[in-house]
């Protein structure tokens, strides 16, 4: 059974059809890249998948459950971790506390009023931070991290509830090219080792073609191609969108 | 029926005069001008003086109105240039506070220049005239007021759509930064918008004279009304303000007919209903993001030295009754109660991210609940205090249910409006609350020392409990909801429920402070719910620094000491306090504790 199955997903903003009739599936242990020019509708897809936006039509199945209409916090409980295109972390807390809070939430301990939070799940948080290479920064304020480190922190937070599905919207934007590959290789290893399903968007084609098992290409809200690296490279419509040749040009 | 409708229209016209200026100023400058009611009051007093020197004819009145508007426009422009211009980038709360400083200063200036008595106009024949409408007599002057509404709406509409100035103001309302990038001088634009808003408030003030009078409370009641209209209509929306004025004006005049006592409550219920259905008001659009310039500090546990000092102070406070006399003990009790009150507000607006301009509501509900329990039910203190806590918590939960999802400005304005309504109920519902005379004889039935120790235990214990809660998982989750509700929801946190819980907890703690205060003073009065008390708490928190956890404790002691000193030194304490608030906001936009140790917040 697929971890994530999407059928004929659709969303419009006013007159703009941001996503139209998108269908795909992600299997456990699979890395699926979603690529496309800016404005193609990738982030809108992500926002529907984690419950931030309600689809106009279509089905979202996560581990066999229809999640349409569930709020993000309920989708997260089903085992969906998410990172954002524009990082969202807790600025008044330390890097460790950011991860600890995700762990507290996973253990349903956020309504505790008495014992200090500082000691709860500290070791587990450190382990997650070490995994993404942030161990040395654990005590620093999240607000002062470099952008690439914020992306790492987001990954650590997203991994805190041992997700079965990871949604990563431009997880390496703001990183140096070598860091990008290292970060996504880490995700790749996790996917293989734990059977984690990963859907990610990415502009770095080395990452996409080097690490993804399969690639989806979106343009103007619609899926135009699906396949492995070779098939995508050879796909005429993809070439048209990215290289600007042919009738369907419009991307860049 | 016809007469009631006309009364409603007249009320709507006055509301619109006030609200249009407020909403236009907010639209362009993003400042919620608390001093708008003061401009209205100045308009009434100035207008009174000007009209006294003019012939008592319609033309004299018109001339006086124009002169008043010109004077207010000038005053508004000076206010914008001297103060507001400097705080456009400050956090919302500081803007509200700075303009509240203006409110305080204007109150003392007006009292100094015109005296404390109400002033009303002599009524020449033309003002006393009536017209016959469907067999009933209707004051001619009120028809003029009604006529102002469509005329003003039309004029504003033309001004905003057909002139270059109006186009620029609308552009500023939509995108300030873009306008700046295009090289438009916004300073002149904002000054003129503010002058216009002030002139409209002045016109409202002078138009209020023939049917009423100028008095020293009109500023706050006017600004509360204007806030309600603007919130219902949608911040920054002129047509929304017009619609809301009509709605609330009609509700007011028909409400008085049906439910004489409940007109205020009706307005509030209407507001709650509109906001529950349309969180941005009838015609408002979502406000982009939080206030600019808001800094989120990195919160660390208190350093050892500070904690030791705290425990030492607590020990000293526990020994105080062995050394100090009753007067000194009563001052200490006042400070301890202030500490709990400030700590409860801090929980809400600091970690909770919910600025409240009406925190006195919960304090007052607690105080009245305790007093009524003692009086009406003959309950002893051990029953009256829990009643205070429970009622305040219940009221906060019910009110919070409507407002915790709203953005900062709406929240600040709504909490203020709610507190003003509680104040009005305490003031008007004389049979139960004793009205202005309050409820006397609320004694704890303990000796001075015993009661002092009780106050110390409950206030220190309550404050420590709040601190503990903030360091516990709940406190972190609450802070997370404020830092990034997007991320918080994405890790499974129910931000709405967390906020509501914090709101309720803060209400309960404030209710306990209020209940204790009632017993400490032996009485309750409507002033316990006054805006001044809400602002006191705000100042304590801001003085200590919103971004710190120990801040409100230090702030409460510092402010109470300062305030008592000020009261004993001068009759013009409002003026001095207002000036101090303004200086404070201009000089230390992050609060005092934030200045002392930049970067690290405790
Ligand atoms: N909240 C929104 N309101 C209106 N339009 C939106 C909103 N979010 C996205 N869009 C529009 O939907 C389209 C797809 O955007 P997005 O999903 O962010 O693309 P991508 O992530 O692929 O760059 C764009 O045309 C964008 O302008
Ligand atoms: Mg995107």
């Amino acid at each position: 059974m697929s971890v994530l199955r999407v059928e004929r997903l659709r969303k419009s903003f006013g007159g703009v059809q941001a996503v139209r009739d998108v269908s795909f599936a992600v299997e456990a242990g699979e890395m699926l890249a979603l690529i496309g020019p800016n404005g193609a509708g990738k982030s809108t897809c992500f926002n529907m998948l984690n419950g931030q936006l309600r689809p106009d039509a279509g089905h979202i199945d996560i581990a066999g459950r229809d999640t349409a209409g569930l709020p993000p916090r309920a989708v997260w409980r089903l085992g969906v971790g998410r990172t954002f295109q524009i990082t969202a972390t807790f600025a008044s807390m330390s890097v460790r506390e950011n991860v600890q809070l995700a762990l507290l939430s996973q253990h349903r301990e956020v309504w505790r009023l008495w014992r200090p939070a500082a000691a709860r799940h500290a070791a587990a948080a450190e382990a997650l931070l070490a995994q993404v290479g942030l161990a040395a920064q654990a005590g620093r304020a999240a607000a002062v991290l470099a952008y690439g480190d914020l992306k790492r922190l987001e990954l650590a937070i997203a991994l805190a509830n041992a997700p079965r599905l990871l949604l990563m919207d431009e997880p390496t934007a703001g990183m140096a090219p070598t860091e990008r590959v290292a970060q996504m290789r880490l995700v790749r290893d996790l996917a293989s080792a734990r059977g984690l399903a990963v859907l990610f968007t990415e502009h770095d084609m080395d990452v996409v073609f080097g690490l993804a098992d399969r690639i989806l290409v979106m343009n103007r809200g619609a899926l135009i191609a699906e396949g492995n690296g070779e098939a995508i490279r050879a796909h005429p419509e993809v070439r048209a969108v990215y290289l600007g040749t042919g009738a369907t040009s419009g991307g860049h | 029926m016809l007469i009631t409708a006309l009364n409603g229209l007249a009320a709507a016209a006055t509301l619109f005069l006030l609200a249009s200026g407020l909403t236009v100023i907010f639209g362009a400058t993003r400042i919620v001008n608390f001093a708008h009611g003061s401009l209205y009051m100045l308009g009434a007093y100035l207008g009174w003086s000007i009209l006294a020197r003019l012939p008592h004819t319609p033309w004299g009145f018109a001339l006086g109105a124009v002169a008043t508007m010109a004077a207010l426009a000038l005053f508004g422009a000076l206010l914008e240039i001297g103060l507001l211009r400097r705080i456009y980038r400050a956090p919302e709360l500081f803007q509200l506070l700075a303009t509240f400083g203006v409110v305080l200063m204007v109150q003392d200036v007006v009292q100094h220049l015109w005296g404390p008595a109400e002033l009303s106009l002599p009524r020449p024949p033309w003002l006393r005239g009536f017209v016959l409408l469907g067999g009933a007599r209707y004051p001619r002057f009120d028809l003029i007021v009604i006529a102002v509404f469509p005329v003003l709406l039309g004029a504003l509409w033309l001004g905003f759509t057909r002139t270059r100035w109006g186009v620029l103001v609308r552009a500023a309302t939509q995108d300030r930064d873009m306008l700046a990038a295009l090289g438009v001088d916004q300073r002149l634009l904002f000054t003129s918008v503010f002058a216009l808003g002030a002139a409209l408030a002045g016109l409202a003030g002078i138009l209020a004279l023939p049917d009423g009078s100028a008095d020293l409370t009109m500023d706050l009641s006017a600004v509360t009304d204007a806030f309600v209209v603007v919130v219902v209509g949608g911040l920054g929306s002129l047509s929304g303000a017009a619609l809301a004025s009509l709605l609330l004006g009609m509700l007011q005049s028909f409400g008085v007919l049906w439910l004489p006592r409940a007109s205020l409550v009706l307005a509030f219920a209407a507001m709650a209903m509109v906001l529950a259905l349309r969180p941005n008001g009838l015609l408002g659009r979502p406000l982009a993001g939080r206030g600019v310039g808001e800094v989120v500090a990195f919160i660390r546990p208190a350093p050892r030295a500070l904690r030791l000092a705290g425990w030492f102070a607590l020990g000293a406070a526990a020994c105080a009754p062995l050394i100090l006399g009753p007067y000194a003990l009563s001052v200490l009790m006042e400070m301890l109660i202030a500490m709990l009150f400030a700590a409860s507000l801090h929980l809400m607006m600091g970690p909770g991210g919910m600025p409240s301009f009406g925190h006195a509501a919960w304090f007052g509900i607690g105080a009245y609940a305790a007093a009524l329990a003692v009086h009406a039910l003959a309950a002893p203190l051990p029953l009256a205090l829990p009643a205070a806590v429970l009622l305040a918590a219940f009221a906060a939960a019910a009110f919070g249910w409507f407002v915790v999802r709203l953005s900062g400005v709406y929240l600040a304005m709504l909490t203020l409006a709610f507190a003003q309504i509680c104040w009005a109920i305490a003031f008007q519902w004389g049979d139960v609350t004793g009205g202005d005379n309050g409820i006397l004889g609320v004694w704890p039935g303990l000796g001075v020392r015993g009661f002092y120790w009780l106050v110390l235990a409950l206030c220190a214990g309550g404050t420590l409990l709040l601190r503990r809660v903030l360091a516990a998982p709940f406190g972190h989750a609450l802070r997370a909801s404020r830092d990034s509700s997007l991320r918080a929801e994405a890790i499974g946190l129910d931000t709405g429920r967390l906020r509501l819980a914090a709101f309720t907890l803060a209400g309960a703690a404030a209710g306990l402070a209020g209940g204790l205060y009632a017993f400490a003073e032996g009485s309750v009065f409507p002033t316990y719910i006054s805006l001044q008390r809400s602002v006191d708490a705000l100042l304590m928190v801001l003085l200590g620094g919103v971004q710190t956890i120990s801040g409100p404790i230090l702030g409460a002691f510092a402010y109470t000491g300062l305030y008592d000193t000020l009261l004993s030194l001068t009759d013009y304490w409002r003026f001095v306090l207002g000036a101090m608030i303004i200086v404070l906001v201009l000089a230390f936009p992050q609060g005092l504790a934030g200045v002392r140790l930049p970067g690290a917040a405790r």
Side-chain angles (χ1 to χ4, degrees):
Chain A
M1 186 182 61
S2 310
V3 175
L4 170 68
R5 173 175 297 284
V6 172
E7 267 163 39
R8 304 185 73 77
L9 210 52
R10 207 183 294 176
K11 180 81 196 174
S12 308
F13 298 107
V16 184
Q17 282 208 314
V19 173
R20 39 186 154 170
D21 292 332
V22 166
S23 307
F24 61 88
V26 196
E27 309 300 323
E30 188 185 28
M31 288 265 277
L32 181 60
L34 178 61
I35 66 172
N38 278 328
K42 305 181 297 289
S43 294
T44 305
C45 272
F46 274 66
N47 288 342
M48 288 189 282
L49 293 181
N50 90 315
Q52 229 163 280
L53 281 178
R54 182 187 273 275
D56 293 343
H59 288 287
I60 302 171
D61 237 83
I62 295 176
R65 249 196 88 173
D66 184 2
T67 66
L70 290 185
R73 55 176 185 273
V75 175
W76 179 82
R77 288 254 171 244
L78 295 175
V80 179
R82 150 132 216 215
T83 70
F84 293 95
Q85 179 171 351
I86 298 165
T87 57
T89 56
F90 307 128
S92 72
M93 297 182 196
S94 71
V95 172
R96 185 192 303 111
E97 285 166 340
N98 267 269
V99 182
Q100 271 175 292
L101 190 57
L103 290 163
L104 284 164
S105 176
Q106 193 214 346
H107 290 92
R108 298 183 184 269
E109 292 172 356
V110 294
W111 287 91
R112 295 193 179 181
L113 301 173
W114 189 246
R115 293 265 173 72
R120 299 293 299 170
H121 310 298
E126 303 261 349
L128 281 163
L129 288 171
Q131 197 165 41
V132 301
L134 273 183
Q137 318 256 29
R140 297 183 74 199
V144 302
L145 289 189
Y147 199 67
D149 285 342
L150 278 176
K151 292 275 182 191
R152 290 194 177 88
L153 174 56
E154 281 223 305
L155 176 57
I157 294 173
L159 289 173
N161 66 334
R164 58 174 116 223
L165 172 66
L166 201 52
L167 304 171
M168 307 182 83
D169 198 354
E170 307 207 2
T172 70
M175 288 182 170
T178 48
E179 289 181 305
R180 287 184 200 157
V181 176
Q183 161 105 339
M184 292 314 285
R185 188 167 298 284
L186 168 70
V187 176
R188 163 84 268 175
D189 293 344
L190 287 171
S192 308
R194 297 187 191 170
L196 179 64
V198 180
L199 177 69
F200 70 106
T201 68
E202 181 58 65
H203 286 297
D204 184 330
M205 289 305 147
D206 289 341
V207 171
V208 171
F209 286 101
L211 293 172
D213 294 309
R214 219 155 34 99
I215 301 169
L216 301 172
V217 188
M218 266 183 100
N219 189 34
R220 297 185 185 177
L223 274 187
I224 56 171
E226 173 175 357
N228 60 16
E230 238 166 273
I232 294 297
R233 279 205 186 97
H235 199 286
E237 214 175 331
V238 176
R239 295 187 74 87
V241 167
Y242 274 94
L243 303 175
T245 57
T248 44
S249 98
H252 43 87
Chain B
M1 210 41 202
L2 176 68
I3 297 298
T4 314
L6 285 174
N7 281 337
L9 282 179
T14 310
L15 287 175
F16 184 62
L17 272 172
L18 280 169
S20 57
L22 190 66
T23 207
V24 167
I25 288 174
F26 178 84
T29 67
R30 287 289 180 270
I31 287 223
V32 177
N33 179 29
F34 215 133
H36 212 68
S38 308
L39 299 171
Y40 167 74
M41 181 167 79
L42 269 179
Y45 275 95
L46 261 181
W48 184 86
S49 292
I50 291 174
L51 289 181
R53 287 166 182 74
L54 289 170
H56 299 313
T57 60
W59 288 113
F61 191 90
L63 189 63
V66 171
T68 307
M69 287 175 73
L72 261 294
L74 183 66
F75 181 78
L78 291 177
L79 192 61
E80 199 275 340
I81 293 169
L83 174 63
L84 297 168
R85 179 174 286 188
R86 292 162 214 282
I87 56 172
Y88 283 144
R89 301 242 156 226
E92 288 150 2
L93 205 64
F94 281 77
Q95 299 172 341
L96 271 168
L97 261 180
T99 51
F100 184 73
V102 176
V103 171
L104 288 175
M105 292 177 76
V106 169
Q107 272 178 354
D108 263 1
V109 168
V110 167
Q111 180 163 7
H112 180 73
L113 292 178
W114 281 280
E118 280 185 14
L119 301 178
S120 40
L121 280 186
R123 286 164 68 87
W126 76 272
L127 270 181
R128 274 176 274 150
F130 283 90
V131 285
L132 279 178
L133 284 173
R137 281 159 32 113
Y138 194 74
R140 193 160 52 184
F141 182 75
D142 286 12
L143 284 182
I144 298 175
V145 173
I146 292 172
V148 166
F149 193 163
V151 170
L152 177 68
L153 185 59
L156 285 175
W157 185 78
L158 281 179
F160 281 117
T161 51
R162 296 295 159 84
T163 66
R164 182 176 152 68
W165 175 85
V167 170
L168 289 178
V169 172
R170 280 192 305 145
T173 303
Q174 267 143 31
D175 194 339
R176 266 204 283 193
D177 297 331
M178 190 58 205
L179 203 62
L182 293 177
V184 175
D185 182 7
Q186 301 197 33
R187 308 216 295 170
L188 198 61
L189 197 62
F190 287 178
T191 309
S192 60
V193 168
F194 208 87
L196 172 71
L200 292 178
L203 179 60
I206 198 168
L207 287 180
L209 282 176
D211 285 338
S213 58
D215 68 71
L216 287 167
T217 61
M218 63 195 297
D219 52 351
L220 291 183
S221 59
V223 83
T224 307
D225 288 348
F227 276 10
V228 172
V229 171
V230 168
V231 165
V232 168
L235 272 172
S237 161
L238 196 60
S239 36
L243 200 62
S245 301
L246 264 181
L247 182 73
L248 291 163
M250 286 299 173
L251 204 63
Q252 202 169 313
S253 76
F254 282 95
V256 169
L257 223 57
W258 290 325
L259 293 163
R261 279 270 168 76
S263 58
L264 271 171
V265 178
L266 269 184
F268 194 74
M271 182 165 75
M273 215 151 71
V274 168
L275 288 174
L277 297 175
R278 299 188 58 92
N280 295 300
L282 289 174
L283 300 179
R285 271 187 257 147
L287 300 175
R290 294 162 58 90
V292 266
E294 231 157 322
V295 183
V296 176
F298 182 33
I299 308 273
R300 295 287 80 211
R304 229 186 140 74
L306 194 63
R307 276 197 231 191
L308 275 178
W311 287 113
F312 180 76
L314 189 60
C319 299
L322 307 176
I323 309 159
L324 298 176
Y327 175 72
L329 281 187
S330 77
V331 172
L332 266 185
M333 281 196 280
E334 198 189 327
M335 288 182 164
L336 287 166
I337 290 168
M339 172 179 79
L340 178 60
F341 186 39
S344 72
L345 175 61
H346 171 264
L347 172 79
M348 202 178 233
M349 65 188 250
M354 299 175 283
S356 164
F357 240 85
H359 207 53
W362 325 120
F363 186 87
I365 288 174
Y368 271 94
L372 286 172
V374 168
H375 238 246
L377 309 174
L381 181 138
L383 285 181
L385 277 183
V389 175
L390 281 179
L391 202 67
F394 179 76
F399 177 72
W401 193 84
F402 284 100
V403 301
V404 290
R405 271 158 230 275
L406 302 179
S407 77
V409 198
Y410 278 98
L411 205 68
M413 292 168 86
L414 277 177
T415 45
L416 169 87
F418 180 74
Q420 286 302 96
I421 284 162
C422 287
W423 174 83
I425 291 173
F427 193 74
Q428 288 171 0
W429 200 16
D431 308 343
V432 174
T433 62
D436 207 11
N437 300 323
I439 302 172
L440 305 178
V442 187
W443 298 114
L446 283 168
V448 177
R449 283 183 183 178
F451 184 62
Y452 171 83
W453 274 316
L454 180 74
V455 169
L456 177 65
L458 289 177
C459 290
T463 307
L464 284 172
L465 185 77
L466 292 181
R467 282 180 60 104
R468 185 116 199 159
V469 164
L470 285 179
F474 172 79
H476 280 225
L478 180 66
R479 200 135 53 77
S481 312
R482 173 202 67 180
D483 285 0
S484 167
S485 65
L486 188 67
R487 169 51 75 194
E489 289 276 343
I491 59 167
L493 303 180
D494 189 339
T495 54
R497 264 178 66 195
L498 286 162
R499 287 208 183 99
L500 183 56
F503 203 93
T504 309
L505 186 61
L512 176 61
L516 284 171
Y517 195 67
F519 281 110
E521 298 286 306
S523 51
V524 292
F525 299 103
T527 54
Y528 288 17
I529 322 178
S530 68
L531 187 57
Q532 180 65 48
R533 191 167 299 276
S534 296
V535 172
D536 285 349
L538 271 173
L539 287 173
M540 291 173 205
V541 173
L542 294 174
L543 205 62
V546 195
Q547 303 286 7
T548 68
I549 305 226
S550 310
I553 302 174
L554 303 178
F557 281 90
Y559 181 78
T560 313
L562 182 87
Y563 187 76
D564 287 351
T565 317
L566 207 59
L567 270 188
S568 66
L569 285 182
T570 168
D571 284 343
Y572 293 108
W573 61 271
R574 279 196 207 92
F575 189 86
V576 180
L577 185 63
M580 278 171 32
I581 295 174
I582 291 173
V583 170
L584 193 76
V585 169
L586 289 178
F588 310 113
Q590 299 304 320
L592 286 188
V595 170
R596 254 194 357 255
L597 285 169
R602 290 141 317 270

